[in-house]
Amino acid sequence: MAAEIVNPRSDSSTDQDGGAEPLDSFDPVFALHRGGKMAVRATVPVRDKDDLSLAYTPGVAKVCTAIAERPELVHDYTWKSSVVAVVTDGTAVLGLGDIGPEASLPVMEGKAILFKQFGGVDAVPIALGCTGVDEIVETVVRLAPSFGGVNLEDISAPRCFEIERRLQERLDIPVFHDDQHGTAVVTLAALRNAARLTGRSLGQLRAVISGAGAAGVAIAKFLLEAGLGDVAVADRKGIVSADRDDLTPVKRELAVMTNKAGLSGSLESALAGADVFIGVSGGTVPEPAVASMAEGAFVFAMANPTPEVHPDVAHRYAAVVATGRSDYPNQINNVLAFPGIFAGALQVRASRITEGMKIAAAEALASVVGDDLAADYVIPSPFDERVAPAVTAAVAAAARAEGVARR
């Protein structure tokens, strides 16, 4: 199977709404998506009866029998070790929210072609027609024999945490919720380089995160694991702190491990004297709050398409500014992480993706910048051809070091 951009069909067939002019007649986005963005192609020829007898019956029976006798051979004689399932329930798609499985498919197709383009990993988009935790877990467990890994995508919090945890417990292949961990890996890489640029260590930094959903929770935990000095996380009701009585179990756990400074109240008040702002929530942070941050602060405002702090405002006060947008420098983009992480994990047939593998990915990603480090270059471009090989090699090595590699 290969993920390929499919040429738009040139026919002008009418849409299903009764003969209206096709959307792609005036919008190039729809033109690109017509017919979908992927195709399946064979990796072996079927030109004649001899090819047919090898690729299918009777020859295929010999391979089936061998795998039945030695199940580990499935990795060598099928696509299992080189393909990932991209699984969603359509409940948290981009900034669109709960739009359902069918409407999520263009995003999942896009994710699949990014796997192929940037990591050489084949991926299959799977949009599920269920949203219950038990249903999703059981469905993915039943699909798992066909895949070498599972990339969970656009599943709303807090269900996403339990779904990932339960799948990791039940499956012996990597399960990775990219909205959590991909974002965290790229954020850590950019933060490491920003700290290096300004002559500081992670341990000297206090961060404030706007957003306590999947990305915000994962970033907070991951940065602390990597040695960040302190981090406070804010949701819509203010700082997540132990004195609040309205916290979900996930946020209660977060309150225990974060906010050493004992802050409470609003996001804006927490920014006073903070070294780092990380936005993964949307909304707008008032300029006076940004101005109150410490000298030489970093502003990573990653909401798309409208950052929590406009870059023009952020540059008035911050030493390093990053966004989630491709039209500004320092784009925090998950595509820098997930293709290489899965490529490395699949390369060594890892049973799971560990914290050490994620930290190795962040360090490798940061190292690509090297001596070219500058305020407008703390993270490489997704199109930098050094990125995926560096991340892949680092993740594979970390998997072997941590004992989760099987070859």
Side-chain angles (χ1 to χ4, degrees), residues 50-388:
D50 292 330
D51 288 344
L52 183 60
S53 69
L54 290 172
Y56 199 53
T57 185
V60 73
K62 186 181 295 186
V63 180
C64 294
T65 301
I67 294 171
E69 294 173 352
R70 295 175 55 196
E72 70 275 10
L73 292 179
V74 69
H75 297 284
D76 296 305
Y77 296 107
T78 73
W79 75 348
K80 181 178 175 72
S81 280
S82 61
V83 68
V84 170
V86 180
V87 178
T88 189
D89 64 355
T91 56
V93 181
L94 302 178
L96 304 173
D98 185 354
I99 59 174
E102 289 85 0
S104 76
L105 268 177
V107 179
M108 301 310 115
E109 287 183 3
K111 195 81 172 190
I113 66 173
L114 296 180
F115 264 110
K116 187 66 174 180
Q117 175 73 24
F118 293 103
V121 174
D122 287 319
V124 178
I126 298 175
L128 301 178
C130 57
T131 58
V133 171
D134 291 341
E135 292 177 293
I136 292 174
V137 170
E138 293 302 325
T139 301
V140 175
V141 166
R142 284 161 173 74
L143 290 170
S146 293
F147 299 99
V150 175
N151 183 94
L152 299 174
E153 191 76 20
D154 293 349
I155 299 173
S156 64
R159 295 174 311 115
C160 60
F161 303 114
E162 183 179 359
I163 289 168
E164 182 188 49
R165 177 185 59 78
R166 287 171 56 179
L167 286 173
Q168 288 172 338
E169 291 172 352
R170 293 186 60 180
L171 298 177
D172 65 347
I173 58 175
V175 177
F176 185 85
H177 185 207
D178 188 49
D179 299 315
Q180 293 184 58
H181 311 299
T183 307
V185 165
V186 182
T187 300
L188 174 59
L191 190 57
R192 280 192 183 280
N193 276 340
R196 179 163 69 95
L197 179 69
T198 56
R200 288 176 282 179
S201 68
L202 289 180
Q204 295 174 294
L205 302 176
R206 177 173 72 85
V208 177
I209 298 176
S210 175
V217 170
I219 290 170
K221 291 180 177 179
F222 193 55
L223 293 184
L224 289 173
E225 177 79 16
L228 186 73
D230 192 15
V231 59
V233 182
D235 61 13
R236 294 175 182 175
K237 297 182 180 179
I239 299 299
V240 174
S241 57
D243 60 354
R244 283 177 49 181
D245 59 5
D246 61 344
L247 300 179
T248 65
V250 170
K251 291 180 183 178
R252 282 200 299 272
E253 179 187 2
L254 191 65
V256 171
M257 65 178 63
T258 62
N259 195 19
K260 296 176 186 175
L263 302 174
S264 60
S266 68
L267 166 74
E268 290 79 7
S269 65
L271 282 175
D275 302 292
V276 185
F277 168 76
I278 297 171
V280 284
S281 66
T284 300
V285 177
E287 183 170 347
V290 181
S292 74
M293 295 179 69
E295 184 177 354
F298 312 143
V299 172
F300 292 2
M302 298 187 285
N304 250 325
T306 306
E308 294 89 349
V309 182
H310 192 280
D312 292 344
V313 173
H315 278 296
R316 294 173 194 156
Y317 311 102
V320 176
V321 177
T323 72
R325 291 177 53 142
S326 60
D327 54 348
Y328 290 101
N330 296 328
Q331 183 189 17
I332 308 293
N333 191 328
N334 289 13
V335 76
L336 289 163
F338 69 81
I341 289 173
F342 269 99
L346 293 175
Q347 185 180 95
V348 298
R349 295 179 188 167
S351 58
R352 58 193 177 94
I353 295 172
T354 66
E355 290 300 301
M357 291 162 71
K358 290 184 287 185
I359 288 176
E363 291 174 347
L365 181 55
S367 71
V368 171
V369 171
D371 294 336
D372 294 325
L373 181 64
D376 62 354
Y377 185 55
V378 298
I379 199 76
S381 162
F383 295 98
D384 188 323
E385 294 182 353
R386 299 171 296 171
V387 167

